[in-house]
Amino acid sequence: MTVRLLDFYADWCGPCKTQDPILDDLEDDYESVAFEKVDVDEEQDVANQYQVRSLPTLIVENDDGIVDRFVGVTQREDIEAALKQAGA
């Protein structure tokens, strides 16, 4: 099963910068998960597809679809729980 974490961010977003180190640590620990950064300024169509309205937004999905969605700075433990639920 493929598990992805989509990180919707913008360069001007302060909370996004706070989220980055948490995601970097998770990426080191979860090699089976595809971590993808989506710059909402450059990829508005993707942001619209996922109905992203606030930043940062994290979406955990697997082959079955979206497993969880987080809006705002999210703690590592919450993201890990969603990754495990998705099958990581």
Side-chain angles (χ1 to χ4, degrees), residues 1-4 32-34 61-65 67 83-88:
M1 175 160 309
T2 303
V3 177
R4 297 192 325 161
S32 64
V33 175
E61 65 180 7
N62 60 21
D63 296 338
D64 297 329
V67 175
L83 291 174
K84 289 175 182 167
Q85 181 182 347

Side-chain angles (χ1 to χ4, degrees), residues 5 10 15 23-25 27-30 34-35 38 40 42 45-46 48 65 68 70-71 73 75 82 84 87:
L5 187 149
L23 295 177
D24 290 343
D25 286 347
E27 192 168 3
D28 290 341
D29 294 343
Y30 286 86
F35 286 77
V38 181
V40 297
E42 294 182 9
D45 54 334
V46 178
N48 287 335
D68 213 337
F70 303 100
V71 178
V73 176
Q75 298 305 310
K84 289 175 182 167

Side-chain angles (χ1 to χ4, degrees), residues 28-64:
D28 290 341
D29 294 343
Y30 286 86
E31 294 178 5
S32 64
V33 175
F35 286 77
E36 298 179 27
K37 293 183 76 66
V38 181
D39 184 334
V40 297
D41 290 331
E42 294 182 9
E43 300 183 66
Q44 291 179 350
D45 54 334
V46 178
N48 287 335
Q49 176 187 344
Y50 284 93
Q51 299 178 341
V52 172
R53 302 287 174 255
S54 299
L55 297 177
T57 293
L58 304 177
I59 295 178
V60 176
E61 65 180 7
N62 60 21
D63 296 338
D64 297 329

Side-chain angles (χ1 to χ4, degrees), residues 10-21 56:
D11 290 334
W12 48 262
C13 169
C16 298
K17 293 180 187 350
T18 302
Q19 187 73 70
D20 281 342

Side-chain angles (χ1 to χ4, degrees), residues 2 26 74 88:
T2 303
L26 283 167
T74 305

